[in-house]
mmCIF file of all heavy atoms in Angstrom:
data_model
loop_
_atom_site.group_PDB
_atom_site.id
_atom_site.type_symbol
_atom_site.label_atom_id
_atom_site.label_comp_id
_atom_site.label_asym_id
_atom_site.label_seq_id
_atom_site.Cartn_x
_atom_site.Cartn_y
_atom_site.Cartn_z
ATOM 1 N N GLN Q 21 82.391 173.577 91.420
ATOM 2 C CA GLN Q 21 82.075 172.189 91.115
ATOM 3 C C GLN Q 21 81.869 172.010 89.618
ATOM 4 O O GLN Q 21 81.078 172.705 89.010
ATOM 5 C CB GLN Q 21 80.811 171.755 91.858
ATOM 6 C CG GLN Q 21 80.414 170.325 91.540
ATOM 7 C CD GLN Q 21 79.179 169.892 92.286
ATOM 8 O OE1 GLN Q 21 78.973 170.260 93.413
ATOM 9 N NE2 GLN Q 21 78.340 169.117 91.632
ATOM 10 N N LEU Q 22 82.595 171.055 89.063
ATOM 11 C CA LEU Q 22 82.443 170.673 87.660
ATOM 12 C C LEU Q 22 81.654 169.376 87.610
ATOM 13 O O LEU Q 22 81.948 168.439 88.356
ATOM 14 C CB LEU Q 22 83.812 170.452 87.016
ATOM 15 C CG LEU Q 22 83.793 169.829 85.620
ATOM 16 C CD1 LEU Q 22 83.239 170.808 84.595
ATOM 17 C CD2 LEU Q 22 85.195 169.373 85.230
ATOM 18 N N LYS Q 23 80.662 169.321 86.757
ATOM 19 C CA LYS Q 23 79.915 168.087 86.521
ATOM 20 C C LYS Q 23 79.924 167.832 85.020
ATOM 21 O O LYS Q 23 79.472 168.666 84.243
ATOM 22 C CB LYS Q 23 78.485 168.210 87.033
ATOM 23 C CG LYS Q 23 77.675 166.949 86.832
ATOM 24 C CD LYS Q 23 76.267 167.123 87.384
ATOM 25 C CE LYS Q 23 75.423 165.902 87.100
ATOM 26 N NZ LYS Q 23 74.029 166.099 87.536
ATOM 27 N N PHE Q 25 78.694 165.287 81.964
ATOM 28 C CA PHE Q 25 77.606 164.338 81.744
ATOM 29 C C PHE Q 25 77.271 164.250 80.258
ATOM 30 O O PHE Q 25 77.830 164.978 79.444
ATOM 31 C CB PHE Q 25 76.367 164.731 82.563
ATOM 32 C CG PHE Q 25 75.872 166.123 82.291
ATOM 33 C CD1 PHE Q 25 74.825 166.344 81.416
ATOM 34 C CD2 PHE Q 25 76.458 167.230 82.909
ATOM 35 C CE1 PHE Q 25 74.370 167.629 81.156
ATOM 36 C CE2 PHE Q 25 76.005 168.511 82.658
ATOM 37 C CZ PHE Q 25 74.954 168.714 81.776
ATOM 38 N N GLY Q 107 78.862 177.979 83.908
ATOM 39 C CA GLY Q 107 77.598 177.766 83.205
ATOM 40 C C GLY Q 107 77.491 176.337 82.725
ATOM 41 O O GLY Q 107 78.331 175.486 83.033
ATOM 42 N N THR Q 108 76.441 176.061 81.956
ATOM 43 C CA THR Q 108 76.239 174.742 81.363
ATOM 44 C C THR Q 108 76.505 174.849 79.867
ATOM 45 O O THR Q 108 75.993 175.763 79.212
ATOM 46 C CB THR Q 108 74.806 174.238 81.619
ATOM 47 O OG1 THR Q 108 74.616 174.121 83.036
ATOM 48 C CG2 THR Q 108 74.568 172.889 80.967
ATOM 49 N N ALA Q 124 78.540 167.246 77.645
ATOM 50 C CA ALA Q 124 78.050 168.456 78.289
ATOM 51 C C ALA Q 124 78.694 168.577 79.662
ATOM 52 O O ALA Q 124 79.083 167.571 80.279
ATOM 53 C CB ALA Q 124 76.521 168.411 78.425
ATOM 54 N N TYR Q 125 78.835 169.806 80.135
ATOM 55 C CA TYR Q 125 79.340 170.016 81.492
ATOM 56 C C TYR Q 125 78.691 171.244 82.098
ATOM 57 O O TYR Q 125 78.191 172.132 81.396
ATOM 58 C CB TYR Q 125 80.873 170.123 81.519
ATOM 59 C CG TYR Q 125 81.418 171.439 80.995
ATOM 60 C CD1 TYR Q 125 81.534 172.548 81.824
ATOM 61 C CD2 TYR Q 125 81.819 171.577 79.671
ATOM 62 C CE1 TYR Q 125 82.045 173.756 81.353
ATOM 63 C CE2 TYR Q 125 82.336 172.758 79.189
ATOM 64 C CZ TYR Q 125 82.444 173.850 80.047
ATOM 65 O OH TYR Q 125 82.936 175.045 79.568
ATOM 66 N N THR Q 126 78.698 171.259 83.417
ATOM 67 C CA THR Q 126 78.258 172.431 84.177
ATOM 68 C C THR Q 126 79.383 172.793 85.148
ATOM 69 O O THR Q 126 79.921 171.924 85.829
ATOM 70 C CB THR Q 126 76.969 172.137 84.971
ATOM 71 O OG1 THR Q 126 75.923 171.824 84.050
ATOM 72 C CG2 THR Q 126 76.558 173.331 85.811
ATOM 73 N N LEU Q 127 79.724 174.059 85.164
ATOM 74 C CA LEU Q 127 80.663 174.576 86.160
ATOM 75 C C LEU Q 127 79.937 175.612 86.966
ATOM 76 O O LEU Q 127 79.450 176.614 86.416
ATOM 77 C CB LEU Q 127 81.891 175.206 85.477
ATOM 78 C CG LEU Q 127 82.975 175.744 86.425
ATOM 79 C CD1 LEU Q 127 83.596 174.595 87.233
ATOM 80 C CD2 LEU Q 127 84.042 176.492 85.650
ATOM 81 N N ASP Q 128 79.709 175.346 88.253
ATOM 82 C CA ASP Q 128 78.862 176.260 89.046
ATOM 83 C C ASP Q 128 79.585 177.524 89.474
ATOM 84 O O ASP Q 128 80.115 177.722 89.608
ATOM 85 C CB ASP Q 128 78.271 175.555 90.266
ATOM 86 C CG ASP Q 128 79.229 175.267 91.383
ATOM 87 O OD1 ASP Q 128 80.377 175.726 91.372
ATOM 88 O OD2 ASP Q 128 78.812 174.591 92.306
#
Side-chain angles (χ1 to χ4, degrees):
Q21 178 179 324
L22 170 70
K23 181 179 176 184
F25 56 98
T108 298
Y125 75 85
T126 298
L127 182 64
D128 73 9

